[in-house]
Amino acid sequence: MTATLTRREALAAGFGTVLLPATLSAQPAQRPAEFRIGVTTFLSGPASVFGVPSRRACEMLIEQINAAGGLAGVPVRAIFVDEGPGTDHLVGEIRRLVQAEGVHAVFQSISSGSCLACTPLSRELNKVMLLWDCGTQRIFEENRYDYAFRTQGYATPEVLAPLLYLLRKKPDIRTLAVVNQDYAWGRDSWEIWKTAMDALKPGVRVVAEMFPRFGSTDFSTEITRLLALRPDVVYSTSWGGELVTFIRQATERRLHERTTFVLPVAEASLQILGRNMPEGHIIGARGDHWNNHPAPANPELFRSFVSAYRQRFNEYPIYPCHHMAQAVWALKAAVEKAVATKSGGWPSDAELAAAFRGLTFPTPTSTITLREDGQGLEDQIVGMSHIDPNFGFAVPREMMRYSAAQVSAPVGQKSVDWLKTLTPAMVQQAGTAL
Amino acid sequence: MRKLEFLLALALAGAMIAAAIAAPWLRFVLTIALAKGIAVMGILLLLRAGQVSFGHALYIAFGAYTVAFLAPRLNDAVLLLVVAAGGAALLGLVIGLFVTRYRQIFFGMLNLAMCMVFYSLLEKLYHITKGSDGIRVEIMPVAGQALDRIAYEWTIFGIALALAFALGALLRLYLVSPMGEALKGIKTRETRLEFMGVPARGVLLAAYVVSAGVGGIGGALIAMTSRHVTPLLSYWTASGELVFIAILGGAGGVLGPFLGAAAYELIRVYAAASFADAWQMILGTALLLVILFAPGGLWGMAARAIGGRSR
């Protein structure tokens, strides 16, 4: 009975704490005592392989920013929310973050489904939302948002760059098979690839389209089929544990010796694979932030970020860490820009959102511009896997950089329609060797 | 006792309205809680017959996707609620025709299988359902009235509350009717029912169709509230959640599901807010405490506290 009483009391206390701050809303823009960011990321489930490292990166960067004096003098605090329980929970949590916790900006989310469900809330709640990791092209192609911005690249360039790289390095491919996870990203990334491939190199035969169940742990059926079909290329946008399992099972049966893998999301799995990752296969990082980047724009900053992360967590940062960092840096640049525009005054939500549009902010490797529709232009670097003894796992070599403007659909055009207009000449024109 | 139950329901509704006025974000959470409470009433009906369905999320997802698909064409919340309820009941009839042949674990598992088949369909028919990205539901008129966002959210909250009362009262009547009493017969000794000339399968099927119908209503309300439907609504964890709520709330009375759903959503929200890493553990602990110390659930505790007999 005591246990039940305390729970009731706890609930009552919970009600109390919520009711108080909620009544304090709708004030004119004053310099806040602290700048609160609501961050949605996977803390449970299979995608926590991305969520947990990104959370660590976020906490580390916020500590660094606060140690250096905060955002335009205001200390920052992040409130993390688990994306794991699903959409209806997350939609409620975003409302709670804005209406009860009073966050000044929301960083959301890893899953495209979460982004599609939550981004319209930016319009209803009039709060700045930074889409820090999700890749779906549907967000800005099907809607226009005044308060939502994506501080990194998206599905179209992340798929198109590896395809251009493949066609440059192996112009004679004839057959291709796809092994993608059976959910929206797996299907979308295949549609983008297929449309672009048909435009850039018509006549490549697709010998198998396989969509194993999301969360599969056994790919023996797929591998057997691939061994029999002998495609020149196997394309897979799988990620996390599934990609690790697929590569391990495929290399055990020597699939990698007769076919080239193209793995646009491989970077996050390479440390786990270690030396099991075969060499000479095409790998992507959803951006340009490879740990062995030969010529980062700001080598000092790049090295300090990577080494600080390594020192604290004893592993190299993976791409979600860099994406989180980009969101933090974008926020810092936008707040400073907005404060400067108001000559020292604190910006309102609308003024802060206005500061993001057209913003160019520096990253350690390059700069990212948020274009007119809110989409960030992030360069893509693709390369061939190669085990580097300094790292102890595969990193790319023969790297090529594709500038974001080259491989992204222009503002106002749908990716699939734009990809149909590409011509084979693009293969030789796009990209520069690093 | 009956009067007290009604008063308690009024008090709960009053507390919900007060909370929804005081904290706008809670309005959303409580609308979802009411919708789940409505759906869990169906679980409660089957629990009376001693049958646990591990697949009732199927009907929630069906109701939700009905709204998502038909909203552009029908474009009226009231109409969509009716269609979702009817469609889910019809689906319940078809599936019920064979799952009601089974009892206990077989009944539960077959339901689970159906629910996962629907989940897979939603994922696989990518070009129709947009897969795991889901479908967005726009704000729709209610009974011909076009509403702005705030008014719409209040209206759906009001509709959920009114439906909770109306369906709660109807289900209460159903439970004390011969059809409802016969459900208890299935739990204790089914053969005796047959000897009395009551067809056990028919009784269970009727309850199953009703439970599917209220599941559809709950799902439609969830779709209208969260305004984005994904296949996750039909995943087995969503079904488990319904059974969880039923146990937390207690199977003794129709108020149980609402107590359970409100407690579940609030615990989850507060647990997720305070311990983003460990909210599952807190929910699990809450359920364990209820099972260990209050087998009648929250309703059992409430009934004991107000001096009535708890079932």
Side-chain angles (χ1 to χ4, degrees):
Chain A
M1 209 54 204
T2 36
T4 53
L5 271 175
T6 43
R7 191 167 66 237
R8 272 189 210 164
E9 281 164 6
L11 270 177
F15 257 93
T17 50
V18 174
L19 299 185
L20 278 178
T23 51
L24 297 174
S25 54
Q27 289 169 335
Q30 282 175 354
R31 180 174 289 266
E34 61 175 2
F35 193 98
R36 287 184 289 275
I37 313 170
V39 184
T40 69
T41 182
F42 276 98
L43 302 175
S44 60
S48 56
V49 295
F50 297 147
V52 173
S54 64
R55 175 189 176 154
R56 289 169 170 174
C58 187
E59 284 169 339
M60 186 185 91
L61 282 169
I62 284 179
E63 265 175 42
Q64 288 176 0
I65 286 180
N66 285 342
L71 283 181
V74 178
V76 190
R77 182 162 68 93
I79 303 165
F80 293 92
V81 163
D82 188 4
E83 236 180 289
T87 312
D88 57 341
H89 178 75
L90 193 64
V91 170
E93 284 291 276
I94 300 253
R95 285 171 194 272
R96 181 180 66 81
L97 285 172
V98 173
Q99 294 175 333
E101 302 277 2
V103 298
H104 300 88
V106 179
F107 287 8
Q108 59 111 6
S109 310
I110 290 178
S111 143
S112 292
S114 304
C115 274
L116 287 165
C118 296
T119 309
L121 286 176
S122 70
R123 196 184 282 156
E124 298 174 4
L125 301 166
N126 293 337
K127 259 314 147 193
V128 168
M129 269 190 193
L130 299 186
L131 278 55
W132 68 268
D133 194 52
C134 66
T136 176
Q137 72 280 11
R138 283 171 61 194
I139 290 276
F140 293 112
E141 288 180 3
E142 294 180 3
N143 266 301
R144 192 193 150 78
Y145 297 102
D146 289 329
Y147 284 86
F149 306 92
R150 177 150 49 195
T151 49
Q152 26 97 28
Y154 67 114
T156 308
E158 288 159 8
V159 170
L160 185 54
L163 172 63
L164 289 167
Y165 185 85
L166 170 74
L167 294 177
R168 173 77 77 94
K169 296 284 173 185
K170 313 219 171 207
D172 301 325
I173 59 159
R174 290 168 182 282
T175 52
L176 176 135
V178 55
V179 187
N180 277 1
Q181 290 149 310
D182 190 9
Y183 81 114
W185 161 246
R187 300 274 177 179
D188 278 350
S189 58
W190 172 235
E191 192 189 10
I192 292 171
W193 176 281
K194 178 83 171 59
T195 315
M197 187 174 72
D198 286 347
L200 293 170
K201 187 170 169 59
V204 175
R205 201 154 55 85
V206 177
V207 291
E209 290 183 42
M210 290 182 274
F211 291 90
R213 182 177 61 81
F214 184 76
S216 290
T217 51
D218 174 27
F219 297 95
S220 45
T221 323
E222 286 79 13
I223 293 166
T224 305
R225 235 181 116 191
L226 291 172
L227 285 168
L229 289 167
R230 294 173 158 263
D232 296 334
V233 177
V234 170
Y235 168 67
S236 177
T237 57
S238 303
W239 47 261
E242 276 171 82
L243 181 65
V244 173
T245 312
F246 175 68
I247 295 292
R248 281 195 179 141
Q249 293 177 355
T251 46
E252 266 167 29
R253 296 174 65 183
R254 310 236 164 251
L255 178 61
H256 62 286
E257 288 174 3
R258 51 176 82 170
T259 187
T260 304
F261 294 130
V262 178
L263 310 166
V265 202
E267 190 249 21
S269 301
L270 293 177
Q271 282 182 78
I272 305 164
L273 275 166
R275 291 174 189 277
N276 287 329
M277 177 70 199
E279 295 199 329
H281 297 273
I282 297 171
I283 50 179
R286 294 194 63 202
D288 62 350
H289 27 61
W290 287 101
N291 284 311
N292 66 333
H293 194 303
N298 187 342
E300 194 46 50
L301 184 61
F302 188 67
R303 233 167 285 143
S304 76
F305 176 72
V306 172
S307 66
Y309 188 91
R310 280 190 69 197
Q311 254 176 13
R312 267 181 76 161
F313 307 114
N314 202 22
E315 61 184 20
Y316 280 93
I318 52 176
Y319 79 76
C321 305
H322 290 279
H323 282 171
M324 178 61 84
Q326 287 164 12
V328 173
W329 287 318
L331 180 71
K332 185 164 184 287
V335 168
E336 280 163 5
K337 178 179 161 190
V339 168
T341 316
K342 281 197 96 175
S343 46
W346 194 257
S348 68
D349 287 318
E351 286 162 341
L352 182 58
F356 276 98
R357 202 163 297 281
L359 177 76
T360 299
F361 62 94
T363 69
T365 45
S366 173
T367 59
I368 293 178
T369 302
L370 302 179
R371 41 176 217 196
E372 199 270 322
D373 61 349
Q375 174 58 52
L377 292 174
E378 180 182 13
D379 294 347
Q380 302 290 325
I381 293 184
V382 186
M384 292 279 187
S385 61
H386 155 69
I387 307 281
D388 186 324
N390 294 331
F391 290 94
F393 56 87
V395 289
R397 64 174 172 194
E398 299 176 44
M399 283 182 256
M400 289 196 60
R401 172 165 47 206
Y402 295 87
S403 81
Q406 258 179 332
V407 286
S408 304
V411 180
Q413 279 196 44
K414 299 225 167 173
S415 286
V416 174
D417 298 335
W418 174 70
L419 291 170
K420 282 181 189 150
T421 66
L422 302 182
T423 56
M426 184 183 185
V427 176
Q428 295 306 321
Q429 289 159 3
T432 46
L434 278 177
Chain B
M1 180 64 201
R2 280 186 62 181
K3 207 170 177 185
L4 274 174
E5 193 182 347
F6 183 66
L7 284 177
L8 196 63
L10 276 186
L12 189 65
M16 280 189 168
I17 295 171
I21 293 175
W25 67 274
L26 268 183
R27 182 174 60 221
F28 174 86
V29 174
L30 291 173
T31 315
I32 296 277
L34 280 169
K36 283 189 180 158
I38 290 173
V40 171
M41 280 201 297
I43 302 266
L44 176 112
L45 214 56
L46 298 173
L47 276 178
R48 276 296 165 91
Q51 308 303 322
V52 184
S53 163
F54 288 118
H56 255 54
L58 164 63
Y59 301 106
I60 289 205
F62 185 83
Y65 269 88
T66 306
V67 170
F69 275 118
L70 296 182
R73 253 156 279 168
L74 291 179
N75 205 23
D76 192 286
V78 177
L79 217 59
L80 282 170
L81 272 172
V82 175
V83 174
L90 211 63
L91 181 67
L93 180 66
V94 175
I95 293 177
L97 275 173
F98 59 95
V99 294
T100 52
R101 289 164 179 266
Y102 298 89
R103 296 290 180 273
Q104 312 293 337
I105 190 74
F106 307 103
F107 177 82
M109 288 295 135
L110 267 177
N111 272 298
L112 176 66
M114 288 298 156
C115 155
M116 287 307 287
V117 166
F118 191 62
Y119 171 79
S120 301
L121 280 178
L122 291 176
E123 285 263 339
K124 292 269 179 198
L125 300 177
Y126 177 71
H127 292 285
I128 306 170
T129 61
K130 302 205 175 153
S132 61
D133 275 357
I135 305 175
R136 181 146 189 85
V137 180
E138 293 304 330
I139 290 180
M140 62 192 86
V142 182
Q145 300 286 311
L147 301 166
D148 69 354
R149 184 176 63 85
I150 304 282
Y152 170 83
E153 286 177 7
W154 273 113
T155 313
I156 297 296
F157 178 73
I159 289 176
L161 200 60
L163 277 175
F165 266 95
L167 292 171
L170 280 175
L171 248 69
R172 217 167 170 279
L173 280 177
Y174 185 88
L175 283 174
V176 295
S177 74
M179 287 285 272
E181 292 292 342
L183 285 174
K184 274 192 249 171
I186 294 180
K187 185 175 182 179
T188 46
R189 198 139 179 80
E190 205 174 321
T191 356
R192 283 188 196 158
L193 270 187
E194 299 282 356
F195 278 168
M196 285 161 63
V198 181
R201 256 191 77 196
V203 168
L204 191 57
L205 182 62
Y208 191 85
V209 172
V210 172
S211 75
V214 291
I217 294 179
L221 285 171
I222 288 178
M224 290 169 187
T225 309
S226 68
R227 306 227 308 282
H228 191 90
V229 295
T230 60
L232 224 52
L233 284 169
S234 185
Y235 201 53
W236 63 268
T237 49
S239 296
E241 197 178 282
L242 297 178
V243 177
F244 185 121
I245 291 173
I247 296 170
L248 185 67
V254 290
L255 213 48
F258 297 101
L259 283 171
Y264 175 83
E265 291 292 328
L266 289 175
I267 294 175
R268 184 165 76 164
V269 161
Y270 284 116
S274 337
F275 312 95
D277 289 317
W279 59 271
Q280 296 102 325
M281 201 160 74
I282 293 170
L283 263 184
T285 313
L287 184 69
L288 276 182
L289 286 176
V290 165
I291 292 173
L292 286 176
F293 300 110
L298 294 176
W299 167 242
M301 265 164 35
R304 223 178 319 154
I306 56 178
R309 71 194 163 90
S310 63
R311 273 187 271 198

